[in-house]
Amino acid sequence: MTAAAATAAQPEKRPVWSDSGDAPFEDVDATPVYARTKKDKKAKKASGGLFGEIWEIAKTIAVALLIAFVLRTIAFQPFTIPSASMEPNLYQGDYIVVSKWSYGYSKHSILGSPSIFDGRILDRAPKRGDIVVFKLPSDNKTDYIKRLIGLPGDRIQMINNVLHINGAPVRDVVVSAQDLTDAFGRPLIQADETFPDGSRTFRVQDFGPGNLLDDTPVFEIPAGYYFMMGDNRDNSVDSRVDPSQSGVGLVPAENLIGKAEIILFSWNEGASLRNPVSWFTKVRLSRWFKVLH
């Protein structure tokens, strides 16, 4: 037998793996996992049909929601300013970002405030003058935003429209160079207040002396509580007002949610998601990305 005939008599050897990356075997069950074709994988994926596509979309949405929930709980949370109680620093229509890690975490850091633990984890004491978002103590549900004025152990009092901390008056300098009025035509006064220890200076506004909350008794702040006031002094229901009179009262440390850090966006009254034109006609660009002090 010649060499050529011997070669012809031998059975043809089939390649295990082709250069294109496709295994030549048609029997998928007999094909090693690493050698199965891309075509087979695509066929399996396509075999899920409509329900397979819906399942993939649902998993993607679930993962995105989980990431958003985690970030909202431990990092940042957006809030909308609903009233004028913090003017002239925060206006109705401002969209702010609050840092959740600034004071640690309590049950109120979690959506729905579930009673899964008491107190605070990674607790950090807030500083006098911080703009704080907290849960209203009377219902533990409503979000409020005020400036922290009194720390545990402090004595807080308003005397003839002047804030006193531990018996020392807070210095103020009137800064409004023109006549300002509120929506009812009442004259407004804006002033820069500086704490007695010089730690913080910030702007406030009010209607001048002689108003309801311009004279108060002395509030002694016990351990674990804080005293909050709005920067719009005569237009703010805050710790000067007892909860029995629909006020805030003293705020427990557990109710602190976070520190207001920045105004992200801002629109004037009348802006609406349903009216795209108002996105441009009502926008307050001068307040976008404004860092809060």
Side-chain angles (χ1 to χ4, degrees), residues 264-286:
L264 199 59
F265 310 116
S266 183
W267 279 270
N268 284 306
E269 186 177 358
S272 171
L273 289 175
R274 299 179 181 179
N275 181 12
V277 175
S278 69
W279 303 350
F280 304 96
T281 59
K282 299 294 184 180
V283 67
R284 291 190 290 223
L285 283 176
S286 61

Side-chain angles (χ1 to χ4, degrees), residues 61-268:
I61 293 174
V63 171
L65 290 175
L66 178 61
I67 293 173
F69 174 78
V70 171
L71 289 177
R72 181 191 180 280
T73 300
I74 67 174
F76 298 102
Q77 184 174 350
F79 287 89
T80 305
I81 302 302
S83 71
S85 70
M86 285 297 291
E87 291 183 5
N89 298 301
L90 290 171
Y91 284 84
Q92 187 174 357
D94 286 346
Y95 291 77
I96 67 170
V97 174
V98 171
S99 61
K100 303 294 286 291
W101 68 84
S102 295
Y103 311 134
Y105 306 95
S106 73
K107 64 181 181 182
H108 297 300
S109 302
I110 305 172
L111 183 65
S113 300
S115 297
I116 57 178
F117 65 93
D118 295 324
R120 303 192 70 85
I121 298 174
L122 302 176
D123 186 27
R124 300 177 188 172
K127 296 179 180 179
R128 192 195 315 277
D130 286 355
I131 299 176
V132 179
V133 173
F134 58 92
K135 290 293 185 182
L136 184 66
S138 60
D139 64 13
N140 288 320
K141 295 179 180 179
T142 308
D143 295 323
Y144 263 55
I145 183 166
K146 303 292 179 186
R147 191 178 296 275
L148 195 158
I149 298 297
L151 301 171
D154 283 345
R155 291 175 291 108
I156 306 297
Q157 185 178 20
M158 292 291 294
I159 302 175
N160 194 27
N161 199 37
V162 176
L163 173 63
H164 287 67
I165 300 176
N166 298 323
V170 172
R171 303 186 303 274
D172 59 40
V173 177
V174 176
V175 297
S176 56
Q178 58 183 348
D179 292 334
L180 301 172
T181 58
D182 69 352
F184 302 100
R186 294 177 295 182
L188 291 173
I189 298 172
Q190 290 190 358
D192 283 344
E193 287 191 349
T194 302
F195 289 137
D197 60 3
S199 61
R200 190 75 65 94
T201 297
F202 55 94
R203 188 156 297 181
V204 299
Q205 72 181 29
D206 63 24
F207 304 131
N211 290 284
L212 184 62
L213 298 177
D214 289 342
D215 289 279
T216 70
V218 176
F219 297 94
E220 296 185 357
I221 318 303
Y225 287 83
Y226 297 96
F227 190 94
M228 308 287 185
M229 290 178 64
D231 292 342
N232 196 355
R233 292 292 169 73
D234 291 324
N235 192 16
S236 174
V237 177
D238 47 41
S239 291
R240 294 172 292 177
V241 184
D242 191 87
S244 63
Q245 299 175 341
S246 300
V248 172
L250 300 181
V251 178
E254 187 179 52
N255 285 47
L256 304 186
I257 294 175
K259 179 184 177 184
E261 300 284 0
I262 189 172
I263 299 172
L264 199 59
F265 310 116
S266 183
W267 279 270
N268 284 306

